[in-house]
Amino acid sequence: MDKTKIKNFLFSFQFLPSVIYLGKWILICLVLGAVAGSISAFFLWSLNWATDWRESHLWIIALLPVGGFIVGLSYHLYGNSVVKGNNLLLEEFHSPKKIIPFRMAPLVLFGTVVTHFFGGSAGREGTAVQIGGAVADRFTGILNLSNSDRKIVLIAGISAGFASVFGTPLAGGIFALEVLVLGRIRLDAIIPSFMAAIFANYFCEIWGIAHTHYHIESIVEMTPINLLWSLLAGILFGLAAMLFSKSTHFWSSLFKNKINYPPLRPVIGGVVIAIVVYCIGSTKYIGLGVPTIVDAFNIDLNSYDFLVKILFTSFTLGAGFKGGEVTPLFYIGATLGNALIWFIPLPMDLLAGMGFVAVFAGATNTPIACTIMGIELFGIESGVFIAIACSTAYLFSGHSGVYSSQIIGSPKTDLFSKEKGLSLSEIEANRAKKESEAK
């Protein structure tokens, strides 16, 4: 054999496994994307129906405690094994124990629709991600996947759910790779993650589901002074993300410590929310809040809207209602950006767009995915401002987040190097222990 033939042989030998790998994951992700995308389409349609019906029959909010009892009881009777939600997906990824029960998908879908129907303040990302994860893990048993392949298929499930519910396949693909370990990206699953995101988004759109469009029309030059203003905005977005994460964990701990019977927690929470909504005479802080998010790009809003939404959503989720955190985080970030116009001399729509993704970046510790999402939603023209806001918010949100099972892969600064390898929940428990010992 001459050298050319040897090179060709070696090339073919290395090429064949890659072809087999690609073909296998395209087929798996095609089926996964079709199923997850179709379920997401039904889920989004159900949310739109529930929201429209509630806004046309506002008296239903008075029955929010009944809705809370339905959600709480359904999980108490049938969902003890899946009550951890997104954190269960992360735990199974890091320490595989058993296949995620498929009941996670219908339970979280039902619970989220009920939450929105009766007037709770929650999002939709968590629901879609859990649906994607539950569907994806079916392949583990059907195809007898190895532990390494199971991790990849779980990533693909997260990607499929996220991408289809927001209509952002690029951000969905990167989010699934970035969210599992803080400070690290799983490039070994990059092809399945993107394939699942693209297929799921495609099949969701086939069903005629439309996603909300947001626009940043006013783009300014990135001058040194505008860079400083962007950094300041990013710091404030990061602190808002930290406040949201800690508020959600606070209310969850409070309800668990004070009320032993789980189905009763959302009942009490529902009573409080219904009374507050009646007293303030507005429904702008419940549900997804998409109309307010759209307004944040165009008109002056109340400077306290973001704080009220933090309170409503953290209380709703902490009480045991179901739903995601991301759309409320969009609301919080966009309205905070809208309020910053009073002392940060950047355009309103630009600040709202920066906050839209930056608070999300800080609360989920996914700055790259959120930067890509901002570019997908608003265009490349605002990309530099979006990147600065997301990365700064990520830094200033600290080692906190809405996913307590996230593990620290690379600490955000050297000051927290001792926390490497710990989960966010372990870090929080250590801090609480030190505070109690100091007292």
Side-chain angles (χ1 to χ4, degrees), residues 123-409:
R124 53 195 176 183
E125 150 274 338
T127 304
V129 166
Q130 290 174 54
I131 290 172
V135 171
D137 218 13
R138 297 308 94 203
F139 290 94
T140 300
I142 295 172
L143 301 179
N144 193 26
L145 298 179
S146 63
N147 281 339
S148 60
D149 278 351
R150 187 195 180 203
K151 290 185 176 184
I152 292 176
V153 85
L154 284 176
I155 290 174
I158 294 172
S159 172
F162 188 97
S164 58
V165 82
F166 291 120
T168 54
L170 293 179
I174 296 175
F175 176 82
L177 299 170
E178 189 178 17
V179 73
L180 297 164
V181 180
L182 191 152
R184 299 284 177 84
I185 295 181
R186 295 275 311 203
L187 290 181
D188 57 336
I190 189 168
I191 288 180
S193 187
F194 277 119
M195 287 294 102
I198 292 168
F199 286 135
N201 182 61
Y202 174 76
F203 281 99
C204 183
E205 291 181 347
I206 278 181
W207 292 101
I209 298 298
H211 299 283
T212 306
H213 296 284
Y214 307 94
H215 301 282
I216 295 178
E217 302 293 343
S218 307
I219 306 297
V220 295
E221 184 181 356
M222 177 53 83
T223 62
I225 188 65
N226 284 341
L227 172 62
L228 293 176
W229 287 122
S230 299
L231 289 170
L232 175 60
I235 292 172
L236 297 175
F237 295 142
L239 295 177
M242 180 190 292
L243 177 60
F244 177 84
S245 300
K246 290 187 176 297
S247 297
T248 302
H249 298 319
F250 167 79
W251 290 118
S252 179
S253 297
L254 182 66
F255 274 97
K256 288 178 181 178
N257 292 334
K258 299 297 183 181
I259 304 174
N260 292 326
Y261 186 54
L264 190 58
R265 295 167 192 162
V267 174
I268 302 300
V271 170
V272 174
I273 294 171
I275 292 174
V276 173
V277 170
Y278 175 79
C279 290
I280 65 177
S282 174
T283 61
K284 70 181 293 185
Y285 302 113
I286 62 176
L288 292 173
V290 172
T292 303
I293 298 175
V294 174
D295 288 343
F297 287 79
N298 304 300
I299 62 176
D300 289 333
L301 300 176
N302 299 320
S303 58
Y304 53 79
D305 280 347
F306 75 98
L307 286 172
V308 180
K309 187 63 172 178
I310 288 176
L311 181 59
F312 264 83
T313 305
S314 62
F315 188 84
T316 297
L317 297 176
F321 286 95
K322 296 303 170 182
E325 302 90 356
V326 173
T327 305
L329 289 170
F330 292 162
Y331 183 117
I332 294 163
T335 53
L336 174 56
N338 181 279
L340 295 182
I341 190 69
W342 292 105
F343 62 91
I344 293 183
L346 293 175
M348 175 189 293
D349 54 347
L350 180 58
L351 282 170
M354 291 164 63
F356 183 102
V357 287
V359 174
F360 172 33
T364 59
N365 295 302
T366 55
I368 298 176
C370 292
T371 299
I372 298 300
M373 171 176 269
I375 292 173
E376 279 190 287
L377 293 175
F378 310 128
I380 191 64
E381 295 80 8
S382 59
V384 176
F385 289 93
I386 295 294
I388 293 298
C390 288
S391 55
T392 309
Y394 166 75
L395 175 63
F396 278 84
S397 65
H399 284 171
S400 65
V402 293
Y403 306 134
S404 59
S405 294
Q406 266 184 329
I407 290 178
I408 308 296

